[in-house]
Amino acid sequence: MLPLVGHTTQRQALSTLVREERLPSSLLFAGMEGIGKHLVARELARQLLCQTSPVIPQGGCGECKPCKLFDSNNHPDIHTLTFGPDGASVDDIRQVLERLSLRAFMGTRKVAIFNNADSISMVGANCILKTLEEPRPENFFILIAANPSKLPSTMLSRCQRWFFDRLSEDEIRSVLLARGASEEEMALATLADGSVGALSTIRARIENADEITAVLDAAWRGDLARITRAAQEWGTEKTTLAERLTFLRMQIRQRLVTNASDAGAAAVWAHALQNTIDAEYVIIDRHVNPTLILLRVLQGCSHEYATGYRMTPNRYPTILEDLAL
Ligand SMILES: [Zn+2]
């Protein structure tokens, strides 16, 4: 199993519910991508399927036959579907639901894990809904979603919701350490924005990050020519826009942290951070011209504002205040 780090409170509470046989049959694990929700679901499933008695440890004993089968991905009573583009189909759902309607192969319990449940099609959701409405005591459903609000409310109301927070930098480092990451990769932990999953994207697009570092340096110097060029380039490259905005937000957050002791600089980066969050919203959800907004964000990163902030902290409106959206 991959290293499971953090989420101690939720994991202990879930484990206790299993031991006391009070675990609801349908659970929804909500929280951002890449923080280990699926791993927590696997840990819970292993405990549910473990046959050690009388007291099953959190995550199962790891020694009994079901645990061994589970670890080698051969346990017949755990079903995992992942939704999204090229993901599980309605037929896959039907197949899993059919298996859940039969007797367990080992023991009594069966577990279904639905990854990216917020990407289930309407038809798929309706299939599952019927099963959720008539729960059987031996079946457990764990739905995993970064955006639970995308799920039909009928489905949400059937599930007990568990929220998982972003990981701390230390937690991300310990995951990386366990995976044998290089020193360079370890340094990326600060950019991960609480998500181990974000690291693979980060690694793949590191050039992008370097470019953003250079542009933010230029923005701090007040190099209008450089930031205008960047805003134009980034604003017109629609395929990488969302990712660049994420990088921008991560890097600005980082600058805010490293400049915490300098009140003026910290105020500039705090304002810039709010601006990037606003920018993501107005560009992606409201389709406001990305070049203009990016320019606005980058202009706001100039050291020239630091003096102004020192004197009047709330003098500059954020993008949302400005656009009155
Ligand atoms: Zn076991």
Side-chain angles (χ1 to χ4, degrees), residues 163-229:
F163 183 75
F164 293 85
D165 209 348
R166 65 183 68 232
L167 297 173
S168 70
E169 262 179 56
D170 281 345
E171 287 170 340
I172 289 184
R173 279 206 193 85
S174 55
V175 174
L176 292 177
L177 210 60
R179 287 186 185 175
S182 69
E183 214 166 299
E184 192 188 39
E185 285 174 316
M186 296 291 280
L188 292 176
T190 50
L191 281 178
D193 205 27
S195 160
V196 175
L199 283 173
S200 48
T201 323
I202 290 168
R203 221 172 289 133
R205 319 273 181 158
I206 197 70
E207 305 85 35
N208 236 343
D210 287 347
E211 183 202 9
I212 285 170
T213 308
V215 170
L216 279 179
D217 288 342
W220 177 252
R221 289 193 307 270
D223 181 345
L224 190 60
R226 179 73 187 92
I227 64 172
T228 308
R229 202 166 72 233

Side-chain angles (χ1 to χ4, degrees), residues 21-22 37 45 50 78 80 83 139 147 159-160 178 199 277 297:
E21 303 203 346
R22 290 193 296 121
K37 299 185 296 297
C50 175
I78 165 111
T80 305
F83 297 93
N139 288 344
N147 297 304
C159 300
Q160 187 183 73
L199 283 173
I277 294 165
V297 172

Side-chain angles (χ1 to χ4, degrees), residues 50-52 60-64 67:
C50 175
Q51 276 172 357
T52 302
C61 69
E63 301 295 330
C64 69
C67 279

Side-chain angles (χ1 to χ4, degrees), residues 60-98:
C61 69
E63 301 295 330
C64 69
K65 195 176 171 206
C67 279
K68 293 248 194 272
L69 283 172
F70 188 96
D71 289 346
S72 57
N73 289 321
N74 289 316
H75 198 296
D77 296 316
I78 165 111
H79 308 282
T80 305
L81 293 180
T82 300
F83 297 93
D86 307 320
S89 65
V90 175
D91 279 346
D92 295 329
I93 298 175
R94 292 209 176 98
Q95 214 170 30
V96 166
L97 296 179
E98 199 183 302

Side-chain angles (χ1 to χ4, degrees), residues 245-281:
L245 285 166
T246 308
F247 270 119
L248 195 62
R249 173 166 45 79
M250 289 182 193
Q251 290 210 8
I252 289 177
R253 188 197 298 277
Q254 191 50 39
R255 281 172 196 240
L256 173 60
V257 172
T258 48
N259 286 288
S261 56
D262 176 347
V268 170
W269 294 117
H271 188 255
L273 181 60
Q274 185 56 53
N275 267 345
T276 52
I277 294 165
D278 289 1
E280 285 180 86
Y281 169 70

